[in-house]
Amino acid sequence: MSSSKSTVKTAASILLSIGVIVVAVIGSASAQNVTCPTMPNGDITNACASTEFVQNAFAGGSTIPLTQSYILVGNASNVAAAVPMSGDCTIVAGGIVACTKLNGVSPGPLYSLAIGTGLGTSGGSLNIQPAQAATIGGVKSVTCPLGQAIGTIDTSGTSTCVNASSGRTLLTTATTFHVALAGSDSNPCTAASPCRTVSHVLAMLQSGYDLGGQVVTVQTDDDGPYTDSVQIMGPFVGLTGATRLIINGFSTNTTFSPAPNAGYCIGIAYGAQLMVQNYKCTMLGAIVGNAFQGNDMFVVGQGSSLIFGAGVTFGFTVNPFNAVTINFGGYVEFRNDFTINPNIGTVSANFSSGASSITVSSATSIVPYEGVVGAGIPAGAYVTSVAGTTVNFSCITSPGCVTSTSGSGVTVQFGGGGQDFIDLGNSPTGGYFATNGNPSNTINVTCNGFPFYWSGFIFSNDISSINAQAITFSAACMGNTVSYPFQIVKQSNIDTGLQGIPYFPGTLGVVTTSANTTAGSTSVTAACAGCGIAVGQSINGSADKTATFSSGVSSITVSSSGFMTVGSPLLGPGIAAGTTVSSVSGTTVGLSHPTTSSQTGVTLSFKGACIANGNVVAGVSGTTVTLRDPAIGTCTSAPIRTGGVVSGYSLYQ
C-alpha cells in the first residue's frame, strides 16, 4: 500500500509541474503583444516588432512620413534616408520627374540625350519637358522605330533617330544640306545657317550619318567660286545608288575651282558614289603666274561611280592632266547634255614668218601645254615655255613647227583641255553615255573655243571599255578640237554603235578622201598618197547633216553634199530602222523607207557603205591601203575618212 501511494504522489507532482510550464509559456506569449514597442522607420536593431510595425511594412509604407518633393535613397549603412531632389530635377506628387539642367548647367539649343533601346533590339519613346516648355507647348513625345535609338532632341522637341548599333544619325526623309560662300563649316548646314564647303558636308555624311536609302542633296546657295577639293575614299553608309547623293549647284554657272595644289574638283575611290548637276569645274584657280599647279578635274577609281547630270561644264586643265580620269574599275555615266569650255581668252600677238615663238600683249594665265590657235600659227601648236611676254611653242605632229607668215596685232587664242577629255585605264566597263544607242536620245556636247587634248579626246587603255553611242558634238567641237579623235590600245574598246569617224572631236590624223573598193577584198585604192592615212587609224565612219522633212516621204534635202553614197545606212529622228540611201543628187537624198514622222532641223548621221564602220588601216603603200577587214561593197570614188589610233587587239565599234 505504501508503495502505491508513493507512485500516485509522484505522478501528481509531475502533472503539476507540466501545468506550471504551460501556464508560464501562455503567459509569456500574452505579455509580448502588449509590451513590444512600435519601432521608428528604418530601424534594423535586433528587437521585437509590434503588429503595427509589421502591418505598416507590408502595406507598402503608405503611412511612412516623407517630406514633399523628397525621395528615399539607400545610404552606405543600408538604411533608406529621405533626401531632397537636386537642383537639376524636381518631382511632384503625381510622380512626374522634370529635369531642366545637367550638373547645374542648362542645355543649349541642341543637346543629346544618352538614351536608346540597346543595340537596336526594339524601338522606344520618351516624354520630355525641356526648360523651354513654355515656348514649345510643354511635354513632347519623341519616338524612334524598331532598331533605332533617340539621338538628339532640340528645343522644339524634334528628335533625330540614330542607328542603335552604330550611333550614326539615321536619315528617314529626303534631306538637303546647304553650302554658301558666307557660311561656316561649324554651322548645322541648313538653309538659314549653311556650311562653307561641299567637302565638309560630304565628310560629315560619310563619318557620322546613315543615309537610310534617302535622297540627300548638297545644295550650294550661290554660284561660288568654291575652292575646296572633294576627295572621298570609301562608301557612304545607307547610300543605295549614285543618284541618291547629289551635289547641286545654284545654277549652271556655279563654279568649283580648287586652289593651287589642292587637288581635283572631285576625286572618289573605293566604292564611293556621287552625282553632280549644275556644276562647272575649272582649274584656272590653280594657275600661279605662268605655272600650273592644278590636277585632273574628276577622278573615279577603285569601284566608284560618278554620274554627270544636267548643267555640267568641263573647264580648264592642261596636259598631263585630264578632264575625266577613270581607272581601276571606276565607272562614269553621262546622262545629259554638257559643255566643254577650256579657254582662258585671247590676246594680240606679233611674230615673224618661220618663227617658233610669238610676242603677246599679255601673258597672264598662259602656261605650258596650252593650245595656241591663230592665223599663221601651225596646226597642233602648244606652249612650251613663257618668258615675260614671249611665248615659245612646238607642235604635236608637225616636225617643222613654225609660223607660216609674219603677223602684227594678230588675235591669238589660248586654251586648255588636257591630256585627254576621257582617260580610261583598267576599267572594263568604265564609261557610258546614257542614250541606249538611239539618236533620238542623243547627248549634245557644246564646245566653246578651241579645246586642246594632247593624246586624244578619248584614250582607252589597259583592257578598258566605254559605250559612247549617239553623241552629237557642236561644229566648234568637230572643227576646233586639236587632238586625235581617240586612241585605243592594249585590248581596249570604244563602242560608238558604228556611228562614225570623225565621230569624236579631233583634227589630228583625220583624213577625208575617196577610194575604189571591191567587195570581199582588203585592198583599196585611195585617191591620195602621203596624205596622212596611217597604220592603226580607224577608217570610214559617218557624216552628220541637218534636214527638215514631212512624215511619209521617200526623199529629203540635207544641209550639205558629200560623204553620201547609195547603200549608206542612215540614222536619225524620223528615219525608219534599217533605212539606207537609195539615190544621191547634190543635197537631195532618196530613202529606202519612208520617213516615220515630221522633223525640223534634226541631225541625221550617214554611215559608210563600202567599208564597214570600225574597220582599221592595216597597211599603207602609196595609194594602196590594206584593211584589217574586207570591204563590204564594190564602189568607185566612194568617200572615206580615217582618224584615231587603234592598236593590237583593241576595237573601235
Side-chain angles (χ1 to χ4, degrees):
M1 288 289 294
S2 59
S3 63
S4 297
K5 290 180 179 180
S6 176
T7 300
V8 171
K9 182 179 180 179
T10 300
S13 299
I14 292 172
L15 290 173
L16 179 61
S17 299
I18 292 173
V20 172
I21 293 171
V22 170
V23 171
V25 171
I26 295 173
S28 175
S30 176
Q32 181 181 12
N33 288 331
V34 175
T35 60
C36 284
T38 298
M39 306 301 291
N41 291 327
D43 185 276
I44 60 172
T45 60
N46 189 18
C48 64
S50 68
T51 301
E52 180 184 4
F53 180 90
V54 174
Q55 288 175 342
N56 283 341
F58 279 98
S62 59
T63 61
I64 298 176
L66 184 64
T67 303
Q68 183 174 350
S69 298
Y70 276 54
I71 60 175
L72 289 175
V73 179
N75 60 25
S77 300
N78 296 324
V79 176
V83 298
M85 295 290 287
S86 72
D88 290 352
C89 304
T90 60
I91 187 170
V92 298
I96 297 177
V97 176
C99 298
T100 60
K101 296 181 179 180
L102 180 62
N103 295 328
V105 178
S106 297
L110 186 69
Y111 54 97
S112 176
L113 296 181
I115 60 176
T117 54
L119 298 179
T121 55
S122 64
S125 63
L126 173 71
N127 290 328
I128 61 168
Q129 187 175 18
Q132 298 85 355
T135 61
I136 68 169
V139 175
K140 296 289 182 181
S141 177
V142 294
T143 304
C144 286
L146 182 69
Q148 301 168 24
I150 299 171
T152 58
I153 305 173
D154 66 18
T155 55
S156 68
T158 301
S159 68
T160 60
C161 298
V162 300
N163 186 311
S165 60
S166 69
R168 290 175 174 268
T169 298
L170 179 67
L171 299 181
T172 56
T173 60
T175 305
T176 299
F177 295 86
H178 291 263
V179 174
L181 289 180
S184 169
D185 283 342
S186 61
N187 288 343
C189 307
T190 61
S193 188
C195 286
R196 174 61 179 82
T197 62
V198 172
S199 57
H200 166 76
V201 176
L202 291 176
M204 177 183 69
L205 291 174
Q206 190 180 48
S207 63
Y209 281 76
D210 183 334
L211 305 192
Q214 302 300 319
V215 175
V216 179
T217 303
V218 183
Q219 176 68 53
T220 70
D221 294 338
D222 51 50
D223 280 334
Y226 292 92
T227 59
D228 56 311
S229 171
V230 171
Q231 299 186 41
I232 300 297
M233 303 294 118
F236 291 83
V237 174
L239 179 61
T240 55
T243 58
R244 304 187 78 79
L245 178 56
I246 305 166
I247 299 175
N248 185 46
F250 182 72
S251 74
T252 56
N253 292 318
T254 303
T255 301
F256 298 82
S257 183
N261 299 312
Y264 325 115
C265 281
I266 294 178
I268 58 175
Y270 302 108
Q273 295 177 297
L274 193 62
M275 180 176 181
V276 297
Q277 56 191 28
N278 296 322
Y279 191 108
K280 178 182 179 181
C281 172
T282 179
M283 288 288 164
L284 283 175
I287 295 178
V288 179
N290 297 115
F292 183 67
Q293 298 178 8
N295 215 306
D296 295 335
M297 296 187 212
F298 300 94
V299 175
V300 183
Q302 286 86 9
S304 294
S305 300
L306 178 63
I307 293 178
F308 293 110
V312 175
T313 296
F314 299 88
F316 178 90
T317 192
V318 293
N319 184 56
F321 304 107
N322 308 304
V324 181
T325 296
I326 309 168
N327 53 35
F328 301 108
Y331 174 80
V332 166
E333 185 172 315
F334 296 83
R335 290 200 170 184
N336 296 85
D337 301 347
F338 60 89
T339 299
I340 299 173
N341 184 14
N343 289 354
I344 64 169
T346 60
V347 298
S348 62
N350 300 326
F351 47 85
S352 58
S353 179
S356 59
S357 65
I358 59 177
T359 301
V360 296
S361 56
S362 172
T364 301
S365 298
I366 297 177
V367 299
Y369 294 108
E370 286 181 8
V372 188
V373 177
I377 305 296
Y382 66 93
V383 177
T384 56
S385 63
V386 181
T389 58
T390 299
V391 177
N392 300 302
F393 63 84
S394 185
C395 296
I396 295 179
T397 57
S398 304
C401 184
V402 294
T403 56
S404 59
T405 62
S406 60
S408 177
V410 176
T411 298
V412 175
Q413 186 166 325
F414 291 86
Q419 178 174 257
D420 311 294
F421 177 72
I422 299 176
D423 187 288
L424 300 106
N426 291 290
S427 296
T429 55
Y432 177 63
F433 286 76
T435 64
N436 294 322
N438 185 347
S440 298
N441 301 330
T442 187
I443 289 176
N444 296 290
V445 182
T446 300
C447 291
N448 295 326
F450 293 82
F452 188 95
Y453 299 106
W454 183 271
S455 297
F457 187 81
I458 294 180
F459 189 92
S460 187
N461 185 30
D462 289 327
I463 318 178
S464 296
S465 177
I466 182 170
N467 184 315
Q469 298 183 10
I471 310 169
T472 298
F473 293 93
S474 69
C477 293
M478 301 310 296
N480 300 339
T481 300
V482 182
S483 70
Y484 294 97
F486 57 84
Q487 291 197 48
I488 315 171
V489 298
K490 298 182 180 177
Q491 301 184 46
S492 296
N493 175 50
I494 295 178
D495 184 357
T496 69
L498 300 180
Q499 294 183 68
I501 293 289
Y503 187 64
F504 297 112
T507 55
L508 301 181
V510 175
V511 178
T512 299
T513 184
S514 62
N516 299 330
T517 66
T518 301
S521 173
T522 58
S523 179
V524 302
T525 302
C528 64
C531 55
I533 299 176
V535 173
Q537 290 178 335
S538 186
I539 187 168
N540 227 355
S542 70
D544 291 337
K545 304 175 187 294
T546 59
T548 297
F549 48 84
S550 300
S551 178
V553 300
S554 297
S555 177
I556 62 175
T557 300
V558 296
S559 55
S560 63
S561 60
F563 203 76
M564 298 180 295
T565 189
V566 174
S568 294
L570 178 60
L571 300 174
I575 302 300
T579 296
T580 60
V581 174
S582 60
S583 65
V584 178
S585 176
T587 58
T588 301
V589 179
L591 308 178
S592 63
H593 297 81
T595 57
T596 59
S597 63
S598 298
Q599 300 290 333
T600 301
V602 294
T603 298
L604 305 180
S605 180
F606 291 83
K607 300 169 63 175
C610 307
I611 300 174
N613 298 68
N615 209 330
V616 176
V617 176
V620 179
S621 177
T623 59
T624 300
V625 177
T626 303
L627 306 178
R628 181 191 63 188
D629 304 315
I632 59 174
T634 299
C635 303
T636 301
S637 298
I640 63 170
R641 282 178 174 161
T642 66
V645 177
V646 182
S647 67
Y649 296 97
S650 299
L651 292 176
Y652 176 79
Q653 299 175 300

